[in-house]
Amino acid sequence: MMRYGLVAAIAAVATTASPLSAQQLEGTGSHASPLFALDAGLAVFDVEHHGRGRFTVLLLDERAEVVARLADTAGAYSGSTAVRVPRSGRYLLDVEADGPWTIRLRGAPADVFAPAAAKAAADPAPLREARLAGEAAADAWSWGWFARGLVGGALAGPIGAGFVVHRAGRSDIPPPPDPATAGPRFLADYRNAYADRLIARRKAAAFAGGIIGSTAFLLALLQWLDVGGDGGRSGSPSGPEPQLSVRFVITP
């Protein structure tokens, strides 16, 4: 019953959303869009392709992980796909095609697919304010990831520390605290800055802990090698020691 309810909700969105409010991205051949902001919830994409070869459209998050497959076919195609966006953040579209194509995001802001640099140039002050607020919200030192880096470096040296740093950049991002200023544009920039700074702080903390842990690991390894070498030498059989002999010869 829940499945039919979800299908009905998606169908209602697909049929009632106004195509005039759709934001369009178009091109020819393979293409990767700039990062754009999406809020958590339901997003509906209208996709068209006018070519003969393989045509795929992937929705990726900012860590290049696949969130949804909007199209996967060959030849001409026209269809709509409703996607459940897991969390608010930045996403991109990865298109593989051999002909012209069009992607529309229903109900999106007018500049949803515009590059971030173009948005900043058009309205730099609100963007700067939102980013500063997001960075300040995530500026606390991550002692948890410092401890993980320390343990990883102590147990496996630089390899363990590097693994922890890698995981620090790919772990889930909790929602930020509510900002004092509201507005869709401000919230999107605020959340993006919060996620960027939080990932950077986690990686820095894991790296610092990994350095200390790796140093302890290498010192312990050198100590073990030194003790093992001394033990090997002390157990080897000793050679004959030089002796002093005196010989007296008496002649008549």
Side-chain angles (χ1 to χ4, degrees):
M1 183 66 69
M2 292 182 62
R3 175 184 297 179
Y4 292 115
L6 178 60
V7 172
I10 292 175
V13 172
T15 55
T16 59
S18 172
L20 297 178
S21 65
Q23 172 60 37
Q24 181 169 302
L25 180 69
E26 58 185 12
T28 301
S30 298
H31 175 80
S33 75
L35 288 167
F36 58 93
L38 276 181
D39 291 331
L42 191 65
V44 180
F45 294 86
D46 298 323
V47 181
E48 295 182 7
H49 178 234
H50 303 282
R52 298 182 177 179
R54 180 175 176 81
F55 177 60
T56 61
V57 181
L58 301 178
L59 177 65
L60 310 177
D61 63 15
E62 61 183 346
R63 302 188 186 103
E65 295 181 352
V66 177
V67 176
R69 190 177 296 269
L70 306 182
D72 188 356
T73 184
Y77 174 80
S78 178
S80 300
T81 303
V83 177
R84 181 68 64 181
V85 180
R87 60 178 179 272
S88 299
R90 295 185 299 177
Y91 296 84
L92 62 90
L93 295 171
D94 185 21
V95 181
E96 179 185 350
D98 68 343
W101 48 266
T102 302
I103 302 173
R104 301 179 184 89
L105 176 56
R106 299 187 188 182
D111 60 349
V112 63
F113 290 131
K119 294 182 181 181
D123 199 5
L127 174 62
R128 188 182 311 112
E129 180 183 354
R131 292 200 63 85
L132 288 175
E135 291 174 355
D139 206 29
W141 183 253
S142 181
W143 288 106
W145 282 101
F146 176 86
R148 295 178 191 179
L150 180 66
V151 173
L155 294 179
I159 296 177
F163 175 77
V164 175
V165 172
H166 174 73
R167 292 300 304 169
R170 299 178 63 87
S171 59
D172 292 334
I173 302 297
D178 293 334
T181 305
R185 174 69 182 279
F186 184 93
L187 288 176
D189 294 331
Y190 169 81
R191 290 166 181 163
N192 293 337
Y194 172 83
D196 292 341
R197 175 55 65 92
L198 187 61
I199 290 174
R201 297 295 284 177
R202 285 179 173 181
K203 294 176 72 173
F207 181 78
I211 289 293
I212 298 175
S214 297
T215 302
F217 174 85
L218 294 175
L219 290 176
L221 181 62
L222 291 175
Q223 181 69 20
W224 180 81
L225 291 175
D226 183 61
V227 171
D230 291 344
R233 286 193 298 271
S234 61
S236 60
S238 59
E241 297 181 357
Q243 297 180 356
L244 177 64
S245 62
V246 179
R247 182 180 182 184
F248 295 95
V249 179
I250 301 175
T251 56

